[in-house]
Amino acid sequence: MSLLITDECINCDVCEPECPNGAISQGAEIYEIAPNLCTECVGHYDTPQCVEVCPVDCIILDPENPETKDELMEKYHLIND
């Protein structure tokens, strides 16, 4: 699954620079994650870096975008090759 930032986001700016795929950007009110770019850091790190640095734990699995680890790895290759 790609990740999703909930409305509990406090716009602290720490997640955006941590994303190796450039999937995180400032939205109208809170940061947003582009599902077509989010690989949950598969291919880069063992754990999603945005989740690691988020001080309010507002980044969750996106129920609208279910993906297996294999699908995330395939997306990683499409983005980075």
Side-chain angles (χ1 to χ4, degrees):
M1 298 184 144
S2 64
L3 299 172
L4 173 73
I5 298 175
T6 68
D7 60 1
E8 292 151 2
C9 175
I10 59 171
N11 291 308
C12 67
D13 304 320
V14 297
C15 62
E16 183 180 22
E18 296 299 320
C19 182
N21 296 323
I24 301 174
S25 62
Q26 180 64 51
E29 294 187 25
I30 61 173
Y31 277 89
E32 298 175 348
I33 298 176
N36 60 324
L37 295 175
C38 179
T39 62
E40 294 180 48
C41 289
V42 168
H44 294 282
Y45 302 102
D46 292 334
T47 58
Q49 297 303 286
C50 59
V51 173
E52 294 289 325
V53 299
C54 181
V56 292
D57 297 324
C58 68
I59 304 172
I60 61 171
L61 290 174
D62 184 352
E64 299 291 318
N65 293 293
E67 295 172 293
T68 65
K69 291 291 181 188
D70 289 338
E71 290 171 323
L72 292 170
M73 183 58 83
E74 185 177 320
K75 190 191 314 184
Y76 162 79
H77 286 295
L78 288 172
I79 294 168
N80 294 288
D81 286 346

